[in-house]
Amino acid sequence: PNGVFFSKEESLEMKLVFRMKRPRSHFIGSKPGLGRLKTASTARKTKTPPPPKYFLGSKRVADVDNLAKFVLDSLNEVLYIDDCQIASLTAIKVYDDDEERECEGSTTVWIRGMDDEYIEKQLLLL
């Protein structure tokens, strides 16, 4: 198809970062806003634990493998012909720390082609 960046002959590496929206309880007074994200010092004053920096499991948030599959499927015929070209995948969920956007969440996608030399080097790291 026209417009894809990677040909069907290319093996690809993809890295995904899912910045999850923070729950209201992570903010002072449960009100999101600039400068309102609880810190260790505000947590001591309010006698509540500080919010975690990294994502802790939650039944209300999709599993990281399902989030990754959604991205992989969405990019079919956009960046690559088919997601079967993805030979290496790294995905991580973290809480969003961008207070200017009120920690609403975002997704970062990083993708590159892999040649045989790169794959050999990666195998040595395992």
Side-chain angles (χ1 to χ4, degrees):
N2 292 334
V4 296
F5 288 92
F6 298 98
S7 71
K8 65 181 178 180
E9 293 81 25
E10 291 183 82
S11 291
L12 305 173
E13 174 183 29
M14 180 181 281
K15 295 181 181 181
L16 302 169
V17 179
F18 299 100
R19 289 175 189 82
M20 309 307 290
K21 180 178 179 177
R22 286 186 173 270
R24 290 182 162 275
S25 63
H26 287 196
F27 296 92
I28 298 169
S30 296
K31 296 178 184 168
L34 187 59
R36 299 193 58 82
L37 186 61
K38 289 180 184 175
T39 63
S41 63
T42 58
R44 280 193 297 279
K45 290 176 190 172
T46 59
K47 296 184 174 146
T48 59
K53 179 170 177 72
Y54 301 107
F55 190 79
L56 300 175
S58 169
K59 295 249 183 219
R60 295 184 296 162
V61 178
D63 296 341
V64 72
D65 60 319
N66 293 329
L67 293 168
K69 185 65 179 156
F70 176 78
V71 171
L72 289 166
D73 290 342
S74 297
L75 296 175
N76 279 336
E77 298 184 11
V78 176
L79 287 180
Y80 40 76
I81 304 298
D82 189 85
D83 59 11
C84 69
Q85 292 174 251
I86 305 297
S88 175
L89 176 65
T90 303
I92 187 169
K93 279 192 304 191
V94 296
Y95 279 121
D96 192 349
D97 280 337
D98 188 347
E99 288 189 73
E100 292 196 20
R101 288 189 350 265
E102 297 185 5
C103 303
E104 285 294 317
S106 64
T107 300
T108 301
V109 177
W110 181 89
I111 190 168
R112 65 170 279 173
M114 298 189 306
D115 59 19
D116 290 345
E117 182 180 337
Y118 179 79
I119 294 170
E120 296 277 333
K121 285 180 184 176
Q122 294 306 303
L123 289 172
L124 292 174
L125 297 175
L126 299 177

